[in-house]
């Protein structure tokens, strides 16, 4: 299997999502190469070419807010039926776009002006949550699906391989300041793993601190960046989910 190709534009799909149904994607990242604040070993887009949480040097490669607005409007006007979700996702972390708060307002405005029932969501790696302006923008969305694959800094480094200066404690602190969060957590085995007993012991403690509305647990869906990884059996994922449920927090396995 090969890694998925990068999205080539701003608006893509609709795609069929196990978690969100029929979802129209918004890509706020560069299209020519992968720029992200994580270099996750399981990423279906492959390895990150430019690892950074500061996109100030890549502004010329990023879509302007008004262009995002115009392309979204055009896509929604031609789609019949409309999507169930409009989702910030794409080639990297959407909330790193310097104009993310403005873009959120424009996207919500397009949805509302068209009178659509589509919900606006984000699939985020959570690195932007430490920024107050980003948190305020995230709070306006209908659904915030935020990543947390590890509860221990060493496991975080092993699985997510963050940009210099991105630390797990800051991410967790930012997530605790957001309401009604959905956590997404990927578990993998093989050459590297985050499913060991100590790994899984540390993770629910951090989930409890964040106290999300629900946790979405899954394993490999596409070819990972690190080809020696393997998926985690559904029985093991359910056992991990039970650790969350024992905290009184809803958990779903996909």
């Amino acid at each position: 299997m090969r890694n998925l190709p990068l999205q080539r534009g701003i608006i893509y799909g609709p795609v069929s999502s196990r978690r969100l149904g029929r979802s129209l994607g918004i890509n706020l990242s560069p299209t020519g190469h992968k720029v992200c604040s994580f270099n996750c070993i399981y990423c279906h887009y492959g390895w990150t070419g430019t690892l950074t949480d500061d996109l100030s040097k890549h502004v010329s490669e990023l879509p302007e807010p008004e262009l995002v607005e115009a392309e979204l409007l055009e896509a929604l006007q031609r789609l019949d039926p409309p999507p169930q979700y409009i989702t910030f996702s794409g080639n990297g972390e959407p909330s790193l776009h310097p104009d993310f708060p403005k873009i959120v307002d424009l996207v919500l405005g397009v949805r509302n002006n068209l009178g659509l029932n589509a919900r606006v969501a984000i699939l985020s790696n959570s690195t932007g949550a430490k920024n107050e302006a980003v948190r305020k923008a995230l709070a306006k969305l209908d659904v915030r699906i935020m990543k947390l694959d590890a509860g221990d800094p060493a496991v975080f480094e092993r699985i997510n391989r963050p940009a210099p200066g991105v630390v797990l404690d800051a991410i967790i602190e930012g997530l605790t300041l957001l309401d009604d969060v959905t956590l997404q957590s990927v578990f993998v085995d093989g050459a590297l793993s985050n499913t060991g007993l100590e790994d899984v012991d540390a993770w629910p403690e951090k989930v409890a601190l964040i106290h999300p509305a629900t946790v979405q647990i899954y394993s490999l869906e596409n070819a990972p960046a690190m080809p020696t990884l393997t998926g985690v059996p559904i029985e093991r994922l359910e056992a991990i989910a039970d650790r969350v449920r024992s905290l009184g927090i809803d958990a779903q396995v996909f």
Side-chain angles (χ1 to χ4, degrees):
M1 292 191 295
R2 294 183 178 181
N3 300 131
L4 297 181
L6 294 175
Q7 301 298 334
R8 303 306 299 177
I10 299 171
I11 307 299
Y12 62 97
V15 298
S16 180
S17 166
R18 290 191 296 173
R19 291 175 288 169
L20 297 176
R22 190 166 179 263
S23 173
L24 185 68
I26 300 178
N27 171 46
L28 301 183
S29 298
T31 58
H33 59 117
K34 187 181 170 196
V35 179
C36 192
S37 50
F38 278 3
N39 193 15
C40 298
I41 62 175
Y42 58 76
C43 184
H44 55 237
Y45 286 129
W47 298 115
T48 298
T50 303
L51 184 62
T52 181
D53 66 342
D54 179 6
L55 295 190
S56 61
K57 296 181 180 180
H58 301 273
V59 171
S60 64
E61 301 177 80
L62 303 178
E64 296 181 357
E66 291 75 16
L67 184 57
V68 176
E69 179 186 35
E71 293 204 8
L72 176 63
L73 177 61
E74 180 185 1
L76 290 173
Q77 287 177 327
R78 63 178 167 75
L79 281 178
D80 186 21
Q84 296 168 282
Y85 280 84
I86 300 166
T87 308
F88 290 102
S89 183
N91 298 337
E93 172 51 36
S95 70
L96 296 181
H97 192 297
D99 289 317
F100 179 70
K102 180 178 181 179
I103 293 172
V104 165
D105 287 339
L106 292 175
V107 167
L108 291 172
V110 170
R111 188 272 309 268
N112 296 341
N113 290 338
L114 291 176
L116 300 180
N117 292 323
R119 307 182 79 192
V120 179
I122 187 169
L123 298 177
S124 170
N125 70 13
S126 302
T127 54
K130 64 181 182 294
N131 183 300
E132 183 179 5
V134 169
R135 288 199 303 273
K136 288 180 178 179
L138 291 171
K140 297 177 181 180
L141 301 177
D142 300 305
V143 179
R144 290 156 293 282
I145 303 179
M146 314 295 289
K147 179 183 297 297
L148 185 72
D149 298 330
D152 177 82
V155 181
F156 173 63
E157 293 283 340
R158 184 166 75 230
I159 300 298
N160 300 124
R161 299 189 176 188
V166 175
V167 295
L168 181 61
D169 286 348
I171 288 175
I172 292 170
E173 181 180 0
L175 290 174
T176 63
L177 298 173
L178 283 172
D179 293 328
D180 195 26
V181 164
T182 295
L183 285 185
Q184 58 170 342
S185 300
V186 179
F187 289 91
V188 295
D189 274 331
L192 294 176
S193 172
N194 59 339
T195 62
L197 291 178
E198 292 184 1
D199 304 336
V200 177
D201 283 345
W203 174 75
E205 295 177 7
K206 303 305 187 295
V207 173
L209 287 175
I210 297 164
H211 202 77
T214 188
V215 181
Q216 297 176 342
I217 295 171
Y218 56 106
S219 191
L220 298 180
E221 296 180 336
N222 296 285
M226 181 175 285
T228 50
L229 295 180
T230 59
V232 179
I234 191 73
E235 296 81 9
R236 178 60 175 150
L237 295 178
E238 285 289 354
I240 294 171
D242 283 340
R243 297 285 300 274
V244 175
R245 294 169 185 143
S246 70
L247 301 171
I249 298 171
D250 178 65
Q252 305 169 19
V253 173
F254 289 87

